């Protein structure tokens, strides 16, 4: 036989109609006798027939492809560890369900152009990775009705978009409460990128928790960062030159905590004896530093897995009603925070946390 075998060839070999072959190979074998199903499958195997996935997708008006969209404001995918972990979770859910992914990295601020690139018929839905404030990705409702789920950004309800994220506010409050309960009263804070929803949520949680314990916030101990190690270095330069230092500094992510710790070493400031440091994210390096970092662990893989699950639900049922899923983080205690006497007057229950490598 010349060329690729067709449905007509399989039907001729099996001695049945093309419709019968098509139905059986598309999973509707329950409509036929067992001997007919066996006959068709045997013929297809002998001829080496492979279904045309493109034609099959057109027939059901789906592409079996999901778009994974990285916000234009972020670093390239190869430099984005958060996106890597989320992508692993997405792939884990989609692979056994015969869905592919298409990576999309729009490089324009024009909302219409961004959505034309995403919603061009090549994907059945999209996962948006951490859209930031003012992102053209947030204009989804005006340009597309494509099923969509945002991850890494807990969006306000007015955006009408499903989102899956860590519970930034509850978890940062847990970290702040814990350092207070270890006896710390003078607490500094390094803020995240001003365009990220998570940065604002983590800062708000820090401020509310300090107020709840009637502890003052010294604004000179609150430094602006941007989630990069370099911004942690800059924050350290501003804080460490002050004559009066906080006893602990909370960074809104591990990268900034790393930059801060580097400067502490440079200036020969002992951690945690002179100043304690805690981060957020539980990055790979957090437990491998000279002084392992106390931080918040959250499952980015699970975020991706749940996002793909939610998106396929939207695609297959047509139910695009916005859903919000917030995942709890876990406090991981390591050696970067000095632990003193807990507050006798604490009214908030002790958080659940795990301890690695002992404590100081």
């Amino acid at each position: 036989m010349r060329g690729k075998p067709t449905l007509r060839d399989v039907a001729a070999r099996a001695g049945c109609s093309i419709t019968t072959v098509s139905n059986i190979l598309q999973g509707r074998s329950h409509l036929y006798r067992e001997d007919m199903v066996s006959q068709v499958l045997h013929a297809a195997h002998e001829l080496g027939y492979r279904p045309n996935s493109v034609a099959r997708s057109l027939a059901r008006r789906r592409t079996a492809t999901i778009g994974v969209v990285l916000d234009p404001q972020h670093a390239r995918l190869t430099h984005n560890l958060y996106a890597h972990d989320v992508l692993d979770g997405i792939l884990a859910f989609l692979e056994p369900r015969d869905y592919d992914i298409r990576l999309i990295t729009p490089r324009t601020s024009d909302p219409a152009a961004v959505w034309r690139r995403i919603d061009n018929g090549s994907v059945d839905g999209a996962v948006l990775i951490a859209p930031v404030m003012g992102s053209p990705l947030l204009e989804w409702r005006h340009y597309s009705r494509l099923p969509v789920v945002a991850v890494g950004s807990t969006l306000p309800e007015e955006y009408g978009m499903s989102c899956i994220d860590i519970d930034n506010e509850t978890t940062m409050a847990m970290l702040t409460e814990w350092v207070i309960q270890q006896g710390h009263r003078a607490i500094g804070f390094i803020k995240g990128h001003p365009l990220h929803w998570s940065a604002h949520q983590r800062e708000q949680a820090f401020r509310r928790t300090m107020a709840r314990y009637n502890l003052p916030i010294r604004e000179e101990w609150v430094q602006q960062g941007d989630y990069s190690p370099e911004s942690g270095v800059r924050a350290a330069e501003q804080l460490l030159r002050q004559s009066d230092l906080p006893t602990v500094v909370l960074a809104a992510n591990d990268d900034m905590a790393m930059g801060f710790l580097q400067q502490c070493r440079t200036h020969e400031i002992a951690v945690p004896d002179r100043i304690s440091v805690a981060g957020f994210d539980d990055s790979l390096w957090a437990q491998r530093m000279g002084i392992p970092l106390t931080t918040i662990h959250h499952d980015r893989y699970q975020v991706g897995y749940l996002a793909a699950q939610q998106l396929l639900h939207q695609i297959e049922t047509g139910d695009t009603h916005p859903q919000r899923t917030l995942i709890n983080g876990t406090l991981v205690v390591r050696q970067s925070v000095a632990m003193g006497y807990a507050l006798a007057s604490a009214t908030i229950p002790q958080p659940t946390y795990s301890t690695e490598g002992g404590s100081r």
Side-chain angles (χ1 to χ4, degrees):
M1 179 183 298
R2 295 181 179 180
K4 294 173 63 175
T6 65
L7 283 176
R8 186 180 299 278
D9 297 326
V10 176
R13 176 69 64 94
C16 63
S17 70
I18 294 175
T19 300
T20 297
V21 172
S22 177
N23 282 335
I24 290 174
L25 294 182
Q26 291 189 53
R28 294 189 284 272
S29 56
H30 62 282
L31 299 175
Y32 303 92
R33 301 189 317 271
E34 286 187 17
D35 59 333
M36 177 56 70
V37 173
S38 177
Q39 213 169 298
V40 168
L41 295 178
H42 182 70
H45 178 73
E46 279 188 330
L47 294 172
Y49 176 78
R50 294 291 182 272
N52 185 326
S53 59
V54 173
R56 187 171 56 200
S57 296
L58 289 172
R60 64 181 184 178
R61 296 188 179 183
R62 290 188 192 165
T63 66
T65 301
I66 297 302
V68 177
V69 187
L70 193 64
D71 192 289
Q73 298 287 338
H74 290 300
R76 298 190 306 273
L77 181 62
T78 52
H79 294 174
N80 192 319
L81 295 178
Y82 179 86
H84 273 188
D85 291 344
V86 169
L87 188 57
D88 281 345
I90 293 172
L91 289 169
F93 184 83
L94 294 180
E95 185 177 10
R97 292 162 178 83
D98 293 326
Y99 269 78
D100 296 321
I101 67 166
R102 175 184 167 224
L103 296 176
I104 305 171
T105 54
R107 296 296 178 188
T108 175
S109 59
D110 176 17
V114 168
W115 279 106
R116 279 197 301 270
R117 186 170 177 197
I118 299 170
D119 192 4
N120 59 7
S122 64
V123 298
D124 298 328
V127 175
L128 312 182
I129 296 184
V132 299
M133 294 180 179
S135 169
L137 296 176
L138 298 178
E139 299 296 316
W140 164 75
R141 289 184 303 170
H142 302 300
Y143 297 100
S144 174
R145 289 297 177 265
L146 192 73
V148 65
V149 176
V151 301
S153 295
T154 306
L155 302 175
E157 292 182 0
E158 58 261 30
Y159 287 101
M161 192 181 300
S162 291
C163 58
I164 298 176
D165 196 8
I166 184 175
D167 190 337
N168 288 292
E169 297 193 23
T170 299
T171 310
M172 179 53 81
M174 178 173 65
L175 175 60
T176 308
E177 289 164 7
W178 180 80
V179 297
I180 292 170
Q181 290 164 352
Q182 306 318 305
H184 292 278
R185 302 294 185 275
I187 303 175
F189 189 79
I190 306 176
K191 302 189 286 186
H193 195 294
L195 291 181
H196 286 241
W197 301 95
S198 62
H200 291 267
Q201 290 153 0
R202 293 173 192 182
E203 181 185 359
Q204 288 170 5
F206 164 71
R207 291 183 179 277
R208 280 200 301 267
T209 306
M210 292 288 283
R212 189 171 186 179
Y213 277 90
N214 296 315
L215 294 176
I217 295 174
R218 291 179 52 172
E219 293 303 327
E220 67 269 27
W221 289 348
V222 177
Q223 296 293 319
Q224 182 65 62
D226 61 13
Y227 282 150
S228 70
E230 293 77 16
S231 68
V233 170
R234 292 192 295 270
E237 289 296 333
Q238 293 296 320
L239 275 169
L240 298 180
R241 69 176 55 170
Q242 299 178 26
S243 58
D244 189 15
L245 296 181
T247 62
V248 62
V249 172
L250 307 182
N253 81 338
D254 287 353
D255 283 351
M256 295 189 299
M258 177 174 65
F260 191 91
L261 286 170
Q262 287 174 346
Q263 288 306 102
C264 287
R265 286 196 298 271
T266 299
H267 292 279
E268 298 182 344
I269 295 176
V271 176
D273 298 329
R274 178 63 183 87
I275 191 168
S276 296
V277 182
F280 197 112
D281 283 340
D282 199 16
S283 304
L284 287 175
W285 61 264
Q287 57 186 307
R288 299 175 183 174
M289 295 190 66
I291 302 174
L293 184 69
T294 292
T295 186
I296 292 294
H297 173 81
H298 57 102
D299 195 338
R300 296 173 288 273
Y301 174 95
Q302 185 187 19
V303 167
Y305 191 93
L306 292 177
Q309 185 180 56
Q310 171 63 226
L311 188 61
L312 254 65
H313 171 78
Q314 291 188 25
I315 292 168
E316 294 175 356
T317 67
D319 177 13
T320 58
H321 182 74
Q323 303 289 328
R324 175 177 293 191
T325 303
L326 299 181
I327 300 171
N328 292 326
T330 303
L331 176 60
V332 181
V333 177
R334 300 192 179 104
Q335 289 95 323
S336 66
V337 175
M339 297 168 63
Y341 295 103
L343 281 177
S345 61
T347 57
I348 300 175
Q350 285 275 7
T352 299
Y353 62 91
S354 65
T355 303
E356 293 187 10
S359 59
R360 294 185 61 171

